[in-house]
Amino acid sequence: RFASAGDDGIIFLWNAQTGEKLFELHGHTHKITAIAPFSSSDASEEKKHLILTASADRTVIVWDCTSGRQVQKVSCFHSTVKCLTVLQRLDVWLSGGSDLCVWNRKLDLLCKTSHLTDAGISALVELPKNCVAAAVGRELIIFRLVASNEGSEGWNVLEVKRLVDHQDNILSLVSVNDLTFVTGSHVGELIVWDALDWTKQASECNFWDSSVHPDVQPEIKLSESPNETSVQHLTSDEECVFAAVGKGIYVYNLQMKRVIACQRTAHDSSVLHIERLPNRQLISCSEDGSVRIWELREKQQLPAEPVPTGFFNMWGFGRANKQANQAAKKMQENTPVYFLELVGDLIGHSSAVQMFLYFGELGLATCSADHLIILWKDGERESRLRSLTLFQKLAQNGDLQLKL
């Protein structure tokens, strides 16, 4: 199942396999600003599948996915909650707005920070040792949850560090593993952080500079719009961070600390969401209404050519620089070169595709500003399943005769 939410304040629950609408949840009066799944883990009762929704009406509602009913509503916020994060291990959830609040699954407010800024927290990511990183404008604030002496349910939230390395507002956060997390800003800065001591490990801020990525055909532009360098979304695996930067997609290798592949114009407009798939594939969606599937492939290595020494070399005068030639050959052998190849284009939306959910064999769900949610299926797989079902029915009815 999956949930969708919109500017109309309504939440829908859907069956990901059939596309059937299961529930229509009414309770908010303004647009939905955040949504998160939350499964209760109390051993004394049956496990419940819940979802949390925050709205511009300054409320948060907990819904029961099994019955579609409203469990509880909180309306004590001083500003809109822009992000929700569940810390499953601690059985608490966090709401980020002008304050950072910590709640239990019964919706008891356990603790909160003092008023941060009018802009508020735009994104949260969980870190090791009961910590979270919160994006507040261009600042990254590290908070730690500390158990209080009042009881097992009691928590205090403490600000432990402020990181001010970004030059502009932080738009995206992603946790790579227990050791690393990455942030991206509005002006195209990508910073790799140590998740334990919160020090800067590496950075990349030249996504738009064609001289940094010589393999890519440079574009002729009269001016550089800030949105063209904005890091809209990040996703990662253990080896790489995949960044949606302006209209392009960039693959940043964490070990090499550099961009190893890119598609500078992956879409005709800003890329809003990307997600990594198995088999080194990637899905991206854009403001232009397109959804595309990419595959990270390694380029075929070409033998290194002799390095010319100048004009006279073409007539046989002088000699090639052997040392430079050997260095170029060695670098070519040791440094694999990758590229992103377009392997699929899903055409169906007429306006910006804001997000998607990938369900593996069950398919892909996309939501768009054209008011449509589309469930995409693997055509070959669905055809095989239908054929198998047909053969099974024929066999049951005795209509199928196998001749050897």
Side-chain angles (χ1 to χ4, degrees):
R1 294 179 297 178
F2 68 97
S4 64
D7 288 351
D8 55 8
I10 304 169
I11 302 100
F12 293 102
L13 293 181
W14 307 87
N15 182 314
Q17 192 164 7
T18 63
E20 176 193 2
K21 183 168 73 176
L22 304 174
F23 296 109
E24 191 171 320
L25 311 180
H26 294 263
H28 291 293
T29 56
H30 290 70
K31 70 176 183 178
I32 307 299
T33 54
I35 185 167
F38 186 24
S39 297
S40 68
S41 56
D42 192 345
S44 63
E45 62 181 41
E46 189 178 342
K47 188 171 183 179
K48 287 184 179 177
H49 295 286
L50 310 170
I51 53 169
L52 306 166
T53 56
S55 167
D57 62 13
R58 298 187 180 184
T59 64
V60 170
I61 298 178
V62 182
W63 308 88
D64 187 329
C65 294
T66 308
S67 63
R69 291 179 180 175
Q70 181 176 309
V71 177
Q72 207 165 341
K73 186 175 186 176
V74 182
S75 53
C76 61
F77 298 99
H78 298 297
S79 67
T80 299
V81 172
K82 296 178 182 177
C83 51
L84 298 165
T85 299
V86 175
L87 307 183
Q88 203 74 47
R89 187 175 55 82
L90 301 179
D91 203 22
V92 298
W93 59 276
L94 313 178
S95 62
S98 59
D99 311 292
L100 178 68
C101 302
V102 182
W103 309 80
N104 64 13
R105 59 191 178 79
K106 297 173 185 173
L107 266 76
D108 300 321
L109 178 60
L110 304 180
C111 57
K112 63 183 285 190
T113 62
S114 57
H115 186 80
L116 295 168
T117 62
D118 291 333
I121 298 169
S122 58
L124 287 165
V125 67
E126 183 178 1
L127 301 178
K129 298 182 179 179
N130 296 355
C131 291
V132 291
V136 182
R138 66 180 63 183
E139 285 189 315
L140 198 62
I141 307 178
I142 309 296
F143 294 100
R144 177 177 277 127
L145 272 67
V146 181
S148 66
N149 298 324
E150 298 170 7
S152 58
E153 279 275 352
W155 291 96
N156 290 321
V157 60
L158 305 174
E159 181 185 318
V160 292
K161 197 167 185 180
R162 287 197 178 214
L163 307 170
V164 289
D165 296 70
H166 279 289
Q167 301 300 310
D168 206 341
N169 289 346
I170 300 167
L171 299 183
S172 46
L173 299 169
V174 66
S175 175
V176 178
N177 50 39
D178 288 341
L179 302 174
T180 308
F181 73 101
V182 180
T183 56
S185 81
H186 182 66
V187 291
E189 307 158 295
L190 183 142
I191 299 180
V192 181
W193 304 91
D194 188 301
L196 298 174
D197 62 11
W198 318 302
T199 55
K200 189 162 110 174
Q201 299 296 299
S203 64
E204 169 72 59
C205 57
N206 294 316
F207 288 115
W208 59 91
D209 188 350
S210 59
S211 64
V212 178
H213 313 295
D215 291 333
V216 183
Q217 186 72 25
E219 296 176 68
I220 299 170
K221 291 184 179 177
L222 299 176
S223 64
E224 193 71 57
S225 165
N227 288 335
E228 292 184 6
T229 63
S230 178
V231 183
Q232 297 286 350
H233 191 237
L234 295 168
T235 188
S236 74
D237 57 19
E238 288 291 323
E239 294 178 33
C240 297
V241 174
F242 304 88
V245 184
K247 301 175 183 177
I249 301 170
Y250 293 77
V251 183
Y252 181 88
N253 187 281
L254 291 164
Q255 191 172 3
M256 298 180 192
K257 295 183 179 179
R258 68 178 183 86
V259 173
I260 60 167
C262 67
Q263 273 283 351
R264 288 167 65 86
T265 51
H267 293 266
D268 294 331
S269 193
S270 293
V271 182
L272 300 180
H273 193 79
I274 54 174
E275 208 65 58
R276 190 184 65 85
L277 304 186
N279 303 321
R280 309 195 85 171
Q281 288 189 336
L282 193 75
I283 296 184
S284 60
C285 64
S286 166
E287 281 183 350
D288 63 15
S290 61
V291 181
R292 289 176 175 169
I293 304 172
W294 308 87
E295 191 169 308
L296 184 63
R297 293 181 177 172
E298 194 171 330
K299 284 184 179 176
Q300 295 294 323
Q301 296 288 12
L302 297 172
E305 294 178 6
V307 179
T309 55
F311 174 78
F312 292 107
N313 187 61
M314 64 187 291
W315 301 107
F317 299 104
R319 59 190 177 86
N321 187 331
K322 290 184 180 179
Q323 191 174 357
N325 184 31
Q326 286 171 354
K329 189 174 181 181
K330 188 176 181 182
M331 191 177 115
Q332 221 170 27
E333 287 172 355
N334 295 340
T335 309
V337 182
Y338 297 92
F339 68 102
L340 285 167
E341 182 170 343
L342 181 65
V343 294
D345 206 345
L346 310 183
I347 300 167
H349 287 291
S350 60
S351 191
V353 181
Q354 289 142 334
M355 197 183 162
F356 57 82
L357 291 171
Y358 176 66
F359 296 99
E361 291 185 344
L362 292 180
L364 177 80
T366 56
C367 70
S368 167
D370 62 9
H371 306 173
L372 289 179
I373 290 176
I374 299 179
L375 192 61
W376 307 84
K377 297 285 188 179
D378 181 339
E380 290 184 15
R381 184 176 180 276
E382 290 297 308
S383 179
R384 286 198 300 271
L385 289 174
R386 290 194 191 103
S387 298
L388 187 63
T389 306
L390 177 63
F391 279 118
Q392 286 172 344
K393 284 183 179 178
L394 289 171
Q396 287 171 3
N397 297 335
D399 298 331
L400 183 65
Q401 294 180 353
L402 296 174
K403 295 182 180 179
L404 298 174

